[in-house]
Amino acid sequence: MRETHRLVYWIRRLSEIALVGWLGLVLLGDTAIAVAMGRAQFTAPLCGLIGIGAYLLRERFRVQGMVLLMGMSAGVSLFTGVFHWTGSPGFADAGALLLLTVGALRWVTPLRFAVLLSVLAMVTLELSAGLRTQKTSAVGFGFLFFVAWAVAMGIGSYLRYQREHRLETVNAVRRAERLELARELHDLVAHHITGIVVQAQAARTVAAQKPEAVVPSLEAIANAGTDALTSMRRLVGVLRADDDASRNPGTTLTDLRVLVERFSAGGPQVDFDVRQGLSESALAPEVLTTLHRVLQESLTNVRRHAPGTGWVRAELGPAERGVLLCVRNHRSPSDPRVARLGGGFGLVGMAERVKALGGNLVAGPTPEGAWEVRAWFPAGHEPARL
């Protein structure tokens, strides 16, 4: 994952260098035109410098830089129009304004504010074309700037749609994972509450010889446990919908081994090792359930994205005052996970589940050329509130 982030970082930096270099060349052209035309054009290079600066500082001052550039460009256009200084529009500041329009539509919130900035950018471009040039060429420059602005609007709107769509998908995966975790937590808690109710009822029967001392407290325990069980069953009825409500509430290390055996029967062979020092009694039930889910999702990803892998190794053992599950495989030549930068919603769901239990999950390539998923859970964890 670190190599992927580094690749994305350098792609972004190279694209920025290319765009800034393009703006610099356009600025040189504006300067040459200003030298040839004299005072009618001397403000164009200044606006171009401001535009390049606004683009370079867009990460910190996106809106401020765009507003400053539009105000400067519109002021220069009105100034030249009042004194009838005709020449040509500033192409460097126009290019910078178009790039800032793309970024505003992609990142600025709320959307109506981003649209307002884009419309003001179009007005600024048309003022530059109409007031800085002669009437014969104003229509041509105005049409050219409008087409360029429309293209920038389309690119920015598409990038914003992609961003919003991914955010919605990630949120949907997280909500689904939280609901699944809530169902499993209900099963676990309901299982224990059932035992409490049974024990309280049995103790009430045994304590029949001294009812004045024991029966009232045991009656309260039984009533509280029964009420809690009824409420949680009502809640799980809403969460489960059409799901089967008779699932086994507990997961064991044997279930993990059975999962590995089933995967090995229909896919690459898996070497599953449970290290010494790890006992099933030391793991909370919700941690065991989540370990099973992470192992299942990791093996499913291996089968889906690296079907030609030679081996898969899974290790589970104590680590750093907790428990660590590591699933590693060598990628096949057709494995697209490193190249695909937009997917990975299964990993999002796993990370949300692990995070809810106080742990963390990391997935990515290793220096040895393998793909690795590492899920760590703290020891003695109390489940997070949903």
Side-chain angles (χ1 to χ4, degrees), residues 160-178:
R160 190 183 189 95
Y161 167 78
Q162 290 288 85
R163 175 171 169 263
E164 296 293 338
H165 177 70
R166 177 167 179 80
L167 288 176
E168 290 178 1
T169 305
V170 169
N171 290 333
V173 171
R174 287 175 174 171
R175 286 194 298 269
E177 205 64 41
R178 288 173 179 175

Side-chain angles (χ1 to χ4, degrees), residues 194-237:
T194 302
I196 293 174
V197 173
V198 172
Q199 293 177 8
Q201 292 174 344
R204 182 180 56 187
T205 302
V206 172
Q209 297 179 354
K210 295 183 178 181
E212 68 282 357
V214 182
V215 172
S217 60
L218 294 180
E219 186 72 25
I221 293 174
N223 291 336
T226 303
D227 293 340
L229 186 59
T230 302
S231 299
M232 297 192 70
R233 281 177 175 170
R234 187 182 300 113
L235 173 63
V236 84

Side-chain angles (χ1 to χ4, degrees), residues 169-182 185 290 293-294 297 344-362 375-377 381 384-386:
T169 305
V170 169
N171 290 333
V173 171
R174 287 175 174 171
R175 286 194 298 269
E177 205 64 41
R178 288 173 179 175
L179 287 176
E180 179 66 20
L181 184 59
L185 287 175
T290 305
R293 176 62 185 273
V294 172
E297 187 71 25
F345 295 116
L347 294 178
V348 173
M350 284 196 294
E352 184 69 22
R353 175 180 289 254
V354 174
K355 182 180 178 182
L357 296 177
N360 61 72
L361 182 143
V362 178
W376 176 84
F377 301 86
H381 170 67
R385 291 184 180 180
L386 296 177

Side-chain angles (χ1 to χ4, degrees), residues 14-63:
L14 290 175
S15 64
E16 289 177 358
I17 293 173
L19 289 174
V20 172
W22 172 73
L23 290 176
L25 292 176
V26 176
L27 180 61
L28 290 177
D30 285 342
T31 304
I33 295 175
V35 172
M37 290 188 174
R39 65 177 184 176
Q41 199 67 23
F42 77 95
T43 54
L46 178 60
C47 290
L49 285 174
I50 294 175
I52 294 176
Y55 179 74
L56 291 174
L57 298 176
R58 69 193 184 281
E59 297 293 339
R60 296 181 60 184
F61 307 103
R62 186 180 303 277
V63 175

Side-chain angles (χ1 to χ4, degrees), residues 71-82:
M72 185 70 180
S73 180
V76 168
S77 298
L78 293 174
F79 180 81
T80 56
V82 169

Side-chain angles (χ1 to χ4, degrees), residues 38-380:
R39 65 177 184 176
Q41 199 67 23
F42 77 95
T43 54
L46 178 60
C47 290
L49 285 174
I50 294 175
I52 294 176
Y55 179 74
L56 291 174
L57 298 176
R58 69 193 184 281
E59 297 293 339
R60 296 181 60 184
F61 307 103
R62 186 180 303 277
V63 175
Q64 297 91 326
M66 189 173 180
V67 171
L68 175 63
L69 178 59
M70 289 190 297
M72 185 70 180
S73 180
V76 168
S77 298
L78 293 174
F79 180 81
T80 56
V82 169
F83 288 94
H84 303 287
W85 290 352
T86 58
S88 67
F91 295 102
D93 60 300
L97 189 56
L98 291 172
L99 293 176
L100 291 173
T101 299
V102 173
L105 285 171
R106 183 179 183 182
W107 300 109
V108 173
T109 55
L111 178 59
R112 59 179 179 272
F113 185 54
V115 173
L116 176 62
L117 288 175
S118 302
V119 172
L120 292 177
M122 185 267 292
V123 173
T124 303
L125 292 172
E126 294 303 317
L127 285 176
S128 176
L131 297 178
R132 298 191 201 182
T133 60
Q134 298 178 357
K135 294 182 179 180
T136 55
S137 57
V139 176
F141 281 119
F143 178 76
L144 177 64
F145 282 167
F146 180 79
V147 171
W149 174 82
V151 173
M153 282 283 293
I155 295 174
S157 300
Y158 175 75
L159 293 176
R160 190 183 189 95
Y161 167 78
Q162 290 288 85
R163 175 171 169 263
E164 296 293 338
H165 177 70
R166 177 167 179 80
L167 288 176
E168 290 178 1
T169 305
V170 169
N171 290 333
V173 171
R174 287 175 174 171
R175 286 194 298 269
E177 205 64 41
R178 288 173 179 175
L179 287 176
E180 179 66 20
L181 184 59
R183 289 193 289 263
E184 293 177 0
L185 287 175
H186 164 270
D187 289 339
L188 296 170
V189 176
H191 175 72
H192 292 297
I193 290 179
T194 302
I196 293 174
V197 173
V198 172
Q199 293 177 8
Q201 292 174 344
R204 182 180 56 187
T205 302
V206 172
Q209 297 179 354
K210 295 183 178 181
E212 68 282 357
V214 182
V215 172
S217 60
L218 294 180
E219 186 72 25
I221 293 174
N223 291 336
T226 303
D227 293 340
L229 186 59
T230 302
S231 299
M232 297 192 70
R233 281 177 175 170
R234 187 182 300 113
L235 173 63
V236 84
V238 176
L239 292 176
R240 285 187 183 279
D242 297 331
D243 291 348
D244 182 11
S246 61
R247 289 186 301 180
N248 183 7
T251 301
T252 64
L253 293 177
T254 303
D255 295 327
L256 272 66
R257 293 189 178 93
V258 170
L259 173 64
V260 170
E261 292 175 358
R262 290 178 179 175
F263 179 85
S264 299
Q269 294 297 311
V270 182
D271 180 16
F272 183 46
D273 181 24
V274 179
R275 296 178 181 176
Q276 294 183 353
L278 180 67
S279 62
E280 189 173 292
S281 59
L283 299 176
E286 61 271 15
V287 171
L288 276 169
T289 303
T290 305
L291 283 171
H292 186 276
R293 176 62 185 273
V294 172
L295 180 61
Q296 182 182 32
E297 187 71 25
S298 301
L299 296 179
T300 301
N301 284 339
V302 171
R303 180 177 295 174
R304 181 182 305 162
H305 300 295
T309 188
W311 56 268
V312 180
R313 180 168 180 79
E315 297 179 349
L316 177 64
E320 300 177 359
R321 294 179 296 178
V323 59
L324 176 67
L325 172 65
C326 178
V327 182
R328 176 182 298 184
N329 72 282
H330 277 293
R331 302 188 301 275
S332 66
S334 60
D335 187 354
R337 283 177 293 183
V338 176
R340 188 186 61 220
L341 302 179
F345 295 116
L347 294 178
V348 173
M350 284 196 294
E352 184 69 22
R353 175 180 289 254
V354 174
K355 182 180 178 182
L357 296 177
N360 61 72
L361 182 143
V362 178
T366 64
E368 295 80 12
W371 181 270
E372 185 177 68
V373 177
R374 298 171 64 89
W376 176 84
F377 301 86

